[in-house]
Amino acid sequence: CFRSLAVGGKNGYRIFSLSSVDRMDCIHRGGESPDVYIAERLFSSSLMVLVSRSTPFRMNIYHFKKSTEICNYSYSSNILAVKLNRQRLIVCLEEALYIHNIKDMKLLKSLLNTPPNPKGLCALSVSLSSSYLAYPGSFTAGEVTLYDALNLNTVTVISAHASHVAAIAFSASGTSLASASEKGTVIRVFSVPDGVKLFEFRRGMKRYVSISSLSFSADTQFLCASSNTETVHIFRLEHHSPSQESPSWSAYMGKMFSAASTYLPSQVSDMMHQDRAFATVRLSVAGMRNIAALSMIQKVLCLLVASLDGHLYIYNIDPQEGGDCPLVKKHRLFDGDDEAELEACGPSYAAAVATRTNPEPASSSYCEDVGVKRGELIPEHEFADGPVCLDDEQEFPPVSFQNKQLDG
C-alpha cells in the first residue's frame, strides 16, 4: 500500500510519511538541489534520486539521511523520468532509455532511437520475481513495448489503443499492466508477460481528457484513473460470472443487448461490453495536475490524491457498494510561499513498502569505474527476501564521488 510521498519543488524536496488518515509527518526536507522536478525514493530506504531543472540532463543519487551524494550521471538530453526497483534503475529521455544495475549503477543496456516520447512515459514493475519495463512502442499508434529489464530483451509489443498511449502502470505483482489512450475515454488492462487483454473500462464519452495517472490497489482488485477533470474514476477488476439467480427484467434486457451487439459496428459493440466506474471521487478543483493512488489505511480502502495545489486529499472507498467517495482528510504539503511541483514522484508503490529488518554493517566501497564490480551501491544482503530497508547508520560504505557522462 502507499504510505510515502515525495514532493519536488522550488526549494528542494520533501518526503512525507502517512501513518494514519489524520497524521502525515514530513520526515525529511532536502535542499541539495533547487527546482526539483523528479524525486524518486527506493522503497522505504534512504536512497533518493533527484533531477533539477537547473541541470535537467543530470541525475543525482543521494543518501538523504547522511546528506551525502553517492554518484551522479549526465546524459545527452533532458531526463524526463526515472524509475527504480530493487534490481534496476531506468532513466528515460525523449528518444532513449538507459537501464542500470541499481547495486553498482553499472550501465547494462542503452535502448537508443526509441519512438519519440516527449512526456517521458514509462513504467517499471516492482515485484521481487520480475523487472518489466513498459514504454510507448510507436509514435503513430497506441502500442506499448514490454521489455524484460532483467534479461535485457523485448518480451512483446501490445496493441493497446488506436490513438497514442497517455498513461501506463503495473500492478504490484507485475502480472498486470494498465494503459490509457490520449483521448482518455478507454482504459485497458493486459496480462503480463503475454499481453492478453483482461479488462476494458470506459471512463466517459462526452469529452476527451488527459489522463495524469493510473494506479492499482495492492491486491489488484481495483484500478484508479485521474485526469485533468474534476473526477477520479475507480474501476473494479472482476470477471462477471453468469448469475445463478432467477432471471430478472434487467438480466433479460442485458442478454438482448448482448445478442444485438453482434449485428452492430465494432465500435458500438465494444462500447456495449465496456465496464463503467465502480466508484468516483469529485475533486474540488478541476484542470490541475494530480496523481492518485489506492491504499489500505487502518484497514480502510482509501484514495490518495496529491495535487499541484499543494495538498494531499484522502477519500474513503466502499469496496462493496462503490459510488461517490467522501473526503475524509486534507493535508497541506507546502506552507508559506513554497511552490509545489508534484511530478511523477507522487504516491509510488516503491516508496510505500514497509520496513521489516535492520541491515547489517556493509564493508565494501563504491566503485569509481563503471562496470568494475569492486563494491556495491547497496549491500547484497539488502536484496534478500523481504522489502529493502536502509535505515542503519552503516547501510552505505564510504563513498567515492562518481561523475559519469553517457552519450548517445
Side-chain angles (χ1 to χ4, degrees):
C1 60
F2 299 85
R3 292 295 183 88
S4 181
L5 175 69
V7 182
K10 178 181 177 181
N11 298 318
Y13 69 97
R14 299 183 185 185
I15 301 174
F16 296 91
S17 177
L18 190 66
S19 55
S20 68
V21 168
D22 295 318
R23 181 172 180 178
M24 186 177 73
D25 300 312
C26 180
I27 61 174
H28 182 75
R29 299 187 182 202
E32 299 91 344
S33 300
D35 292 321
V36 172
Y37 71 97
I38 293 177
E40 290 283 348
R41 185 183 181 190
L42 177 62
F43 295 89
S44 55
S45 76
S46 299
L47 188 73
M48 200 75 195
V49 180
L50 303 178
V51 182
S52 168
R53 293 196 188 282
S54 61
T55 52
F57 52 86
R58 188 173 70 201
M59 172 185 68
N60 297 83
I61 302 180
Y62 292 96
H63 184 299
F64 72 78
K65 286 190 176 180
K66 295 182 179 180
S67 299
T68 304
E69 183 184 51
I70 297 169
C71 62
N72 66 71
Y73 274 67
S74 295
Y75 300 84
S76 58
S77 62
N78 290 358
I79 299 170
L80 302 180
V82 176
K83 305 294 180 183
L84 61 164
N85 60 24
R86 63 171 60 237
Q87 296 147 322
R88 297 290 182 257
L89 184 148
I90 311 297
V91 177
C92 178
L93 312 185
E94 183 168 353
E95 295 186 6
L97 287 155
Y98 293 92
I99 302 174
H100 294 267
N101 178 25
I102 202 168
K103 293 184 185 180
D104 54 14
M105 279 304 294
K106 176 183 177 181
L107 179 63
L108 301 176
K109 186 74 173 181
S110 300
L111 301 176
L112 305 178
N113 301 315
T114 55
N117 184 13
K119 295 182 179 180
L121 183 63
C122 63
L124 181 66
S125 65
V126 296
S127 64
L128 299 177
S129 59
S130 63
S131 188
Y132 290 113
L133 169 66
Y135 60 92
S138 170
F139 187 66
T140 58
E143 295 181 344
V144 177
T145 296
L146 186 63
Y147 189 89
D148 187 339
L150 286 184
N151 298 307
L152 305 177
N153 62 272
T154 300
V155 177
T156 188
V157 176
I158 302 171
S159 297
H161 303 275
S163 59
H164 298 162
V165 176
I168 46 179
F170 283 102
S171 63
S173 63
T175 57
S176 296
L177 175 71
S179 68
S181 69
E182 196 175 52
K183 295 180 179 179
T185 54
V186 175
I187 295 167
R188 296 187 172 102
V189 178
F190 302 90
S191 62
V192 175
D194 54 21
V196 174
K197 185 173 70 175
L198 301 175
F199 301 96
E200 184 169 284
F201 303 102
R202 176 159 290 275
R203 194 210 58 80
M205 292 186 294
K206 295 181 180 179
R207 53 180 172 172
Y208 293 163
V209 303
S210 176
I211 300 293
S212 56
S213 70
L214 294 172
S215 180
F216 288 90
S217 60
D219 59 7
T220 321
Q221 291 188 18
F222 298 94
L223 171 70
C224 69
S226 67
S227 67
N228 59 340
T229 70
E230 70 282 359
T231 306
V232 179
H233 295 78
I234 299 138
F235 304 96
R236 191 168 193 167
L237 279 63
E238 61 177 358
H239 291 286
H240 302 290
S241 57
S243 176
Q244 302 298 320
E245 301 175 1
S246 57
S248 63
W249 172 253
S250 59
Y252 172 76
M253 290 303 297
K255 291 181 179 180
M256 290 292 291
F257 277 119
S258 179
S261 68
T262 59
Y263 300 97
L264 297 173
S266 59
Q267 295 90 338
V268 179
S269 177
D270 289 345
M271 288 173 57
M272 294 178 66
H273 288 91
Q274 290 165 348
D275 288 334
R276 298 304 179 94
F278 168 75
T280 56
V281 162
R282 303 291 178 182
L283 304 177
S284 57
V285 180
M288 190 165 288
R289 178 174 166 77
N290 60 72
I291 298 171
L294 295 164
S295 179
M296 291 294 293
I297 302 177
Q298 296 172 310
K299 299 182 180 180
V300 176
L301 181 62
C302 297
L303 177 77
L304 312 181
V305 181
S307 172
L308 260 179
D309 68 1
H311 291 89
L312 176 71
Y313 301 88
I314 304 178
Y315 301 83
N316 279 354
I317 302 171
D318 186 332
Q320 303 301 322
E321 301 297 330
D324 292 331
C325 305
L327 175 67
V328 293
K329 191 65 179 180
K330 175 181 176 181
H331 292 283
R332 189 167 182 80
L333 299 173
F334 281 81
D335 48 32
D337 297 325
D338 277 320
E339 295 177 9
E341 293 183 11
L342 305 181
E343 294 295 329
C345 56
S348 65
Y349 181 79
V353 180
T355 59
R356 294 180 184 172
T357 59
N358 292 320
E360 300 172 359
S363 58
S364 59
S365 61
Y366 183 64
C367 168
E368 194 163 343
D369 299 320
V370 174
V372 181
K373 194 173 180 181
R374 299 203 321 253
E376 293 177 333
L377 178 62
I378 300 175
E380 179 65 29
H381 65 266
E382 294 300 344
F383 294 85
D385 292 339
V388 173
C389 171
L390 303 177
D391 291 325
D392 190 272
E393 284 300 313
Q394 303 298 319
E395 63 185 327
F396 280 112
V399 174
S400 297
F401 287 98
Q402 173 174 323
N403 304 298
K404 183 68 178 177
Q405 172 73 42
L406 297 180
D407 298 319

